[in-house]
Amino acid sequence: MPPTPAVPSGKRPTLADVAARAGVSVALVSVVMRGAKGAGAATRERVLRAAKEIGYRPDSRARLLRSSRSRLLGVQFGLQQPFHTDLVEFLYAAAEPVGYQIALSAVAPSRSERQAVEALLGDRCEALILLGSQAPAARLAELAAQLPVVSVARRLRPPAAGVDVVRTADDEGARQAVDHLVALGHRDIAHIDGGRAPGAADRRRGYRTAMSRHGLADRVQVLPGGLTEEDGAAAARVLLDAGLGPTAVLAFNDRCATGVLDTFLRAGIAVPGRISVVGFDDSRLARLSHVDLTTVGQDISRLAQLAVGRAVARLEGETESEGPGQEIVVEPHLVTRGTTAAPPPA
């Protein structure tokens, strides 16, 4: 049986508790926990064993707050966006090796971007990484005057002073999707728009440009949509009510595409037998076996590495702190799965 904890039940173990358990001074326990020199191998082992026995964990956040720096990168993300969830995982992986931690603050229907950012500022974050921010460029420039700001997955036109941008070439992604569908034989390809969401204008432009290049400008069809399954379902119902003219659909993102798939399934419309569907992001949602969605993949690992790299470069003084921010554009890639095929015979 494991040793009985040396602290009352429900009380968080302290350095003093570890010291009492190991039979050493609190100062020596502090040396061991900080990984500093001054403790022999046997003593270090005894202290660590005592800490494990009573369930002691160093409070890294408290230690950082006592120092002059927090070494926290604040990440604002959309709580309902699978793509953002994937990005967060890689942001952790990119931040830890360079000595930084991630603090998260979510945007939700009941919580605005301003509230999310203010919470991060209250946590003494040293830089902000904003995923899919829809705040005005002037607001981003205002924040960048206080601390480094990196905007991920959004083009800024005109650029905001001091704000770095890391994004995917959304127009190129839409072009790849259209090229794929045309190569399968599709001519009537509709696009479900993302409205004013970050990246929507570029994807819309990429779709139109690709259709024109294939001589299909007269068959362009852009339907109002959005970021959610409900938006995709609403657009799919419009197509059903109109007799389902297109043989393929490019949705704004994977969530939107999932709403399209669900609506077609309920209506008895075969995908891809009757109509093909393409999403955008290659989120975990698209990779589910029962969804198996053809989609435009964003290089999430690369986006995360670049976002953390830009934030850290500004914090460490490796780049100019004033003037226009740097924009880094990452190429997307098409991921072909089970929702696209040749169109049905005429």
Side-chain angles (χ1 to χ4, degrees):
M1 294 180 63
T4 303
V7 294
S9 176
K11 179 179 178 292
R12 178 170 180 166
T14 65
L15 286 177
D17 296 322
V18 178
R21 183 76 166 184
V24 299
S25 68
V26 173
L28 190 53
V29 173
S30 178
V31 167
V32 172
M33 292 304 168
R34 288 185 285 111
K37 296 180 180 179
T43 300
R44 186 177 301 276
E45 182 181 352
R46 185 164 76 253
V47 168
L48 293 175
R49 182 171 62 250
K52 182 177 181 180
E53 288 171 354
I54 67 173
Y56 173 80
R57 291 179 180 275
D59 190 341
S60 57
R61 181 68 61 88
R63 185 176 69 250
L64 289 171
L65 291 176
R66 286 194 298 269
S67 70
S68 60
R69 294 189 59 183
S70 70
R71 300 192 73 84
L72 286 175
L73 304 179
V75 176
Q76 171 197 286
F77 70 106
L79 189 62
Q80 298 177 318
Q81 296 300 324
F83 174 62
H84 289 186
T85 303
D86 291 348
L87 259 174
V88 165
E89 179 180 346
F90 283 96
L91 288 170
Y92 276 115
E96 290 177 3
V98 292
Y100 285 82
Q101 296 184 29
I102 296 294
L104 298 177
S105 191
V107 176
S110 60
R111 194 168 192 256
S112 68
E113 282 194 25
R114 183 172 288 273
Q115 289 174 299
V117 168
E118 289 299 327
L120 294 173
L121 295 177
D123 283 341
R124 290 184 61 213
C125 292
E126 295 188 350
L128 296 177
I129 298 176
L130 309 178
L131 308 187
S133 172
Q134 299 191 51
R139 168 61 176 164
L140 299 185
E142 176 185 314
L143 290 170
Q146 304 174 46
L147 73 174
V149 175
V150 181
S151 176
V152 180
R154 175 190 175 186
R155 177 198 289 266
L156 290 179
R157 289 290 180 270
V163 179
D164 290 316
V165 172
V166 176
R167 66 178 181 86
T168 294
D170 291 291
D171 52 349
E172 168 65 14
R175 181 196 67 76
Q176 291 180 15
V178 172
D179 287 352
H180 167 66
L181 292 168
V182 170
L184 290 173
H186 294 275
R187 296 295 178 268
D188 291 301
I189 304 167
H191 175 47
I192 301 177
D193 189 26
R196 301 182 64 181
D202 285 348
R203 296 177 195 183
R204 183 167 55 245
R205 182 175 61 253
Y207 160 76
R208 290 183 179 276
T209 300
M211 291 289 284
S212 296
R213 190 169 61 250
H214 287 292
L216 303 173
D218 59 332
R219 303 193 184 194
V220 165
Q221 184 178 6
V222 178
L223 300 169
L227 293 84
T228 69
E229 293 88 347
E230 290 77 11
D231 294 322
R237 286 192 291 270
V238 170
L239 290 174
L240 290 172
D241 292 342
L244 206 64
T247 61
V249 172
L250 167 60
F252 170 69
N253 66 6
D254 293 342
R255 287 187 66 193
C256 182
T258 302
V260 172
L261 292 174
D262 181 69
T263 301
F264 287 164
L265 176 65
R266 293 174 185 273
I269 303 298
V271 177
R274 169 61 183 84
I275 189 167
S276 290
V277 177
V278 181
F280 206 112
D281 288 341
D282 193 27
S283 63
R284 297 185 185 189
L285 184 63
R287 300 192 292 271
L288 293 174
S289 60
H290 68 282
V291 177
D292 198 32
L293 179 67
T294 294
T295 184
V296 177
Q298 301 197 55
D299 191 340
I300 299 176
S301 176
R302 180 67 174 152
L303 292 171
Q305 287 282 351
L306 289 168
V308 170
R310 291 308 303 163
V312 171
R314 286 189 178 269
L315 288 171
E316 304 296 339
E318 298 173 9
T319 186
E320 294 294 330
S321 60
E322 298 180 356
Q326 181 177 350
E327 181 182 63
I328 307 175
V329 182
V330 178
E331 289 295 304
H333 57 281
L334 186 73
V335 181
T336 305
R337 295 195 180 95
T339 59
T340 53

